[in-house]
Amino acid sequence: MSLTLAFVMDPLERVVPSTDTSFAFMLEAFGRGHRVIHVNPSDVHLREGRVFVAGRDVEVFDRASEHFRIRKEVHLDASECDAIFIRTDPPFDQAYLTVTWLLSFAERRGTRII
């Protein structure tokens, strides 16, 4: 069974594939045939009591350069995701708190937030 997994994290363009744990999670998920969605923290929104994520459906590759390819831009209701991983780098600031607060609404509606 294929899952849709969203990763709320820093831009993929800044990821160092050999050391980034979030990217390792993405690689493993993609390697197992799951749909991988990259979401910037600023692209998590609340509208009419529902949480939405705007992101990119990506393929990821275990190599130093050109480690991802965008398949398409997506806009999903959080309930369409089997799980959403929040994996932003520090700082623990207002933006981080806002994203976790928004995702708590999705969690209350049954989306697994990790």
Side-chain angles (χ1 to χ4, degrees), residues 21-107:
T21 308
S22 301
F23 192 75
F25 292 161
M26 294 171 83
L27 273 173
E28 186 63 26
F30 186 74
R32 292 178 182 224
H34 302 304
R35 181 180 184 202
V36 174
I37 308 296
H38 172 265
V39 179
N40 288 313
S42 60
D43 293 327
V44 178
H45 305 281
L46 184 66
R47 187 174 62 220
E48 298 177 7
R50 299 189 69 83
V51 177
F52 293 87
V53 295
R56 305 178 295 180
D57 185 327
V58 295
E59 294 180 70
V60 290
F61 310 101
D62 190 11
R63 54 187 184 223
S65 64
E66 298 180 35
H67 53 280
F68 71 96
R69 183 177 76 79
I70 300 169
R71 295 203 277 203
K72 64 180 176 178
E73 302 286 328
V74 297
H75 190 261
L76 303 171
D77 185 308
S79 66
E80 296 177 67
C81 299
D82 294 288
I84 299 175
F85 293 78
I86 183 163
R87 300 285 304 169
T88 56
D89 284 336
F92 183 81
D93 59 8
Q94 188 63 39
Y96 178 84
L97 288 173
T98 300
V99 169
T100 58
W101 176 74
L102 288 171
L103 291 175
S104 73
F105 285 100
E107 187 172 45

